[in-house]
Structures are given as structure tokens and as C-alpha cells.
């Protein structure tokens, strides 16, 4: 959902600004776009950490064979903590950016762009906090939004493999072992895409921090555009990768799309095929859980109103 929000709101604003040199929605977009982009990094970071903890608990649980399926309310509560925490950590971005205007040296056309400059009208205490955040922003990005998810995911995977090393031979051919291996590959794939797409931004931030006086404004604008391109690329690839690697989630998504396209009115033959697909989806693993229920539940469409 957050990746879709980035592509739906931030991408048109950036493209419009690059084409017309005018900022869509003016000063509001200068504050909201960085806020949403940084919140996206936080959502991805803390989601990867939560998935790593889930895999670690699955490996170390003494009652792994009887591990219950987590309730929907518990998952929503975790997502709320992740989203609210990410947006709270991104609040300084709203107070840090401002809309600026600069006439072109040749044509004289006034170009609008966003500059990192705290509000002068802020109270003294808040102004000093925002200024401190601006000075530490580069290392905060690097430590929290790059090192934390990558190192946390790698640590959880290494510890999980070490704990399950003795059980690897016994469980390799079982359905449970294949499910756990598939889930671990999914998390590693998500972390790899995130690391590859955020590396250029962190490198550019470090370069700009130490070499900005010697760099022209055109070079700085180009580096900023490259960073946003990689962010949009990550937001485009991550949902596709998740739907492809997590087969039950991808199947539920396709069933929902097909149901909406057909007007939620399947015939008898399609109902029988849908029942079979529901049974397969229910019996297979999901991205969060790896244990089936003890008694078969009623056949309900996963994620669809049909």
C-alpha cells in the first residue's frame, strides 16, 4: 500500500517538476513528498525487521508443530505500530523543506525547486531540534534506514540457519521444510532489493555532505533525481517480487482481480475451479504463517468479497 502511495502521489509531482520546472501543489508538495518518501523507508525497514523476528520465532519455538495462526487483529496492531512509528520519525521532514525560486541564467525563466531549510518562524526549541536533525540526517539515514534492516535480516537468517542446522537433513524433503525455505528466500529477496535501491542514495548523501561546496547546482539536482528514481524503482519492484515469491498471496491477488473484472458473478464451472484454488491456497503457506490449522476451515475466498 505504501509503495502504491509513493507511485500514485510522489511520482507525478517529480515528473511534473522536471518537465515544467514548476512545483505541483507548491510548498505543500515540498513538505509532503519528502515526508512520504522517508516514511516509506521506515515502513520497509521495520517491516523487514518484523519479518526477521517472525522467522526467528518460527525457528526457536519449542512448540513449532502446534504453532497457531496469528489473528488478524494482532497483524493489524503490528502494522499500525510500524506505520505510526515510521511517520513519527519522518515528521522533521515536514519542517525541514521549503519551496524556493531561482531564475535561469540564460532564459530568465523562474524555476521552482525544494530546498532543505528549516522554517524561521518555528519556536526556538523546535528550530534547534530540526537543525540538529538536518546536521545528523545523513548518518541517521545510513544507520537506521540502511544498516538496520540489512544487518537485522542477515543476523536473523544466520541465527535461524544455525539453529536449524541439525534439523536440515530431516526436514529438507518435508512440506514444512520447503515452506520455511521459501519464506526465508522471500525475505532475503525483499532485503536484497531494498539494499540495492538504497545504496546509491546513501552514497550520494555522503558525497554531497562532504563535497557540496565544490559541486554545481545541476550536479546536485541530478543526484537527487537519481535517488528518487531508485526509490520509485524499489516501490515498483517490491510488490511484484512479493506477489511472485509468495504464491498464496499472489494467487489471492489474482483471484481478487479476476473477481472484480468478472463483476463477482462466476458461473458453476468457475465456482468449482475457484473452490479448488481456495482449497490449495488454504493448505499452502502464507508469508506470515507456516502451520496449517488442525481442522479444515470453511472454503472462503481469501482477500475477496466474492
Amino acid at each position: 500500500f505504501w509503495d502504491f502511495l509513493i507511485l500514485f502521489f510522489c511520482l507525478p509531482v517529480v515528473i511534473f517538476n522536471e518537465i515544467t520546472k514548476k512545483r505541483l501543489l507548491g510548498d505543500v508538495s515540498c513538505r509532503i513528498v519528502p515526508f512520504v518518501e522517508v516514511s516509506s523507508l521506515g515502513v520497509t525497514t521495520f517491516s523487514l525487521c518484523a519479518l526477521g523476528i517472525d522467522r526467528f520465532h518460527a525457528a526457536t519455538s519449542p512448540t513449532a508443530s502446534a504453532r497457531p495462526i496469528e489473528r488478524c487483529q494482532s497483524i493489524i496492531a503490528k502494522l499500525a505500530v510500524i506505520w505510526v512509528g515510521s511517520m513519527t520519525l519522518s515528521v522533521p521532514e515536514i519542517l525541514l523543506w521549503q519551496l524556493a525560486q531561482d531564475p535561469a541564467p540564460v532564459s530568465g525563466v523562474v524555476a521552482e525547486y525544494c530546498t532543505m531549510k528549516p522554517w524561521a518562524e518555528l519556536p526556538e526549541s523546535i528550530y534547534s531540534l530540526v537543525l540538529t536533525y538536518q546536521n545528523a540526517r545523513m548518518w541517521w539515514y545510513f544507520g537506521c534506514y540502511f544498516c538496520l534492516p540489512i544487518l537485522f535480516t542477515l543476523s536473523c537468517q544466520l541465527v535461524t540457519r544455525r539453529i536449524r542446522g541439525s534439523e536440515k537433513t530431516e526436514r529438507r524433503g518435508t512440506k514444512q521444510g520447503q515452506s520455511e525455505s521459501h519464506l526465508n528466500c522471500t525475505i532475503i529477496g525483499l532485503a536484497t532489493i531494498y539494499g540495492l535501491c538504497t545504496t546509491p542514495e546513501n552514497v550520494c548523501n555522503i558525497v554531497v555532505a562532504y563535497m557540496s561546496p565544490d559541486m554545481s547546482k545541476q550536479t546536485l539536482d541530478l543526484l537527487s533525481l537519481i535517488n528518487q528514481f531508485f526509490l520509485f524503482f524499489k516501490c515498483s519492484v517490491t510488490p511484484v517480487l512479493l506477489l511472485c515469491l509468495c504464491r498464496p498471496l499472489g494467487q489471492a491477488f489474482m483471484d481478487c482481480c479476476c473477481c472484480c473484472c468478472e463483476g463477482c458473478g462466476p458461473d458453476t464451472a468457475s465456482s468449482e475451479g475457484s473452490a479448488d484454488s481456495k482449497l490449495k491456497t488454504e493448505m499452502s503457506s502464507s508469508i506470515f504463517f507456516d502451520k496449517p490449522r488442525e481442522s479444515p476451515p470453511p472454503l472462503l475466498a481469501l482477500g475477496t468479497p466474492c
Side-chain angles (χ1 to χ4, degrees):
F1 173 78
W2 208 278
D3 291 334
F4 173 77
L5 186 64
I6 289 285
L7 297 176
F8 181 78
F9 178 74
C10 299
L11 181 59
V13 172
V14 173
I15 294 178
F16 183 84
N17 184 44
E18 290 300 319
I19 295 176
T20 64
K21 300 303 178 183
K22 297 293 183 181
R23 195 71 183 181
L24 192 64
L25 301 180
D27 190 66
V28 176
S29 65
C30 279
R31 306 181 189 280
I32 298 300
V33 169
F35 170 76
V36 176
E37 291 178 348
V38 176
S39 298
S40 172
L41 298 178
V43 168
T44 307
T45 294
F46 301 131
S47 296
L48 288 174
C49 293
L51 291 175
I53 293 174
D54 180 78
R55 292 293 86 213
F56 177 77
H57 283 170
T60 58
S61 176
T63 58
S65 58
R67 190 184 181 205
I69 292 182
E70 191 171 5
R71 292 185 176 183
C72 182
Q73 292 83 351
S74 175
I75 298 176
I76 293 177
K78 292 179 181 179
L79 291 177
V81 170
I82 291 174
W83 286 9
V84 172
S86 302
M87 295 190 324
T88 303
L89 293 176
S90 305
V91 168
E93 297 288 332
I94 300 179
L95 307 176
L96 185 61
W97 293 88
Q98 292 188 28
L99 180 67
Q101 297 179 346
D102 188 18
V106 179
S107 60
V109 178
V110 177
E112 297 180 346
Y113 63 95
C114 297
T115 181
M116 194 181 298
K117 183 180 179 181
W119 291 2
E121 298 81 5
L122 291 174
E124 187 64 27
S125 57
I126 299 180
Y127 182 85
S128 60
L129 290 176
V130 175
L131 196 61
T132 303
Y133 173 81
Q134 179 182 0
N135 296 330
R137 187 173 183 267
M138 176 192 66
W139 295 112
W140 170 253
Y141 257 59
F142 182 73
C144 181
Y145 297 137
F146 181 76
C147 294
L148 177 63
I150 301 301
L151 295 180
F152 199 94
T153 302
L154 290 178
S155 300
C156 289
Q157 291 297 319
L158 291 176
V159 173
T160 302
R161 289 177 180 270
R162 182 67 178 271
I163 293 176
R164 286 180 170 167
S166 58
E167 305 175 1
K168 187 175 181 180
T169 305
E170 301 176 1
R171 304 170 63 173
R172 179 179 298 177
T174 63
K175 184 178 180 180
Q176 177 183 345
Q178 294 176 355
S179 171
E180 293 170 354
S181 176
H182 190 74
L183 291 175
N184 291 332
C185 292
T186 301
I187 298 176
I188 292 176
L190 295 175
T192 302
I193 291 295
Y194 179 75
L196 293 176
C197 293
T198 54
T199 298
E201 181 175 6
N202 286 277
V203 173
C204 291
N205 288 339
I206 296 176
V207 171
V208 170
Y210 291 101
M211 299 180 60
S212 58
D214 302 330
M215 302 174 68
S216 62
K217 184 180 181 301
Q218 290 76 11
T219 304
L220 295 176
D221 293 341
L222 179 60
L223 292 177
S224 177
L225 185 62
I226 292 175
N227 295 337
Q228 289 185 318
F229 167 78
F230 277 101
L231 177 63
F232 297 145
F233 178 77
K234 177 192 76 69
C235 294
S236 303
V237 172
T238 299
V240 177
L241 179 67
L242 184 60
L243 293 176
C244 293
L245 292 181
C246 184
R247 287 170 292 183
L249 181 61
Q251 183 62 43
F253 180 78
M254 295 303 298
D255 290 344
C256 181
C257 294
C258 295
C259 174
C260 294
C261 293
E262 294 174 0
C264 295
D267 53 9
T268 305
S270 62
S271 299
E272 295 176 357
S274 177
D276 294 338
S277 64
K278 294 168 192 171
L279 181 60
K280 292 179 181 178
T281 303
E282 185 66 33
M283 295 180 64
S284 58
S285 62
S286 70
I287 186 63
F288 297 105
F289 318 114
D290 48 4
K291 306 299 176 187
R293 292 187 176 93
E294 296 180 357
S295 59
L299 299 177
L300 297 177
L302 180 59
T304 70
C306 302

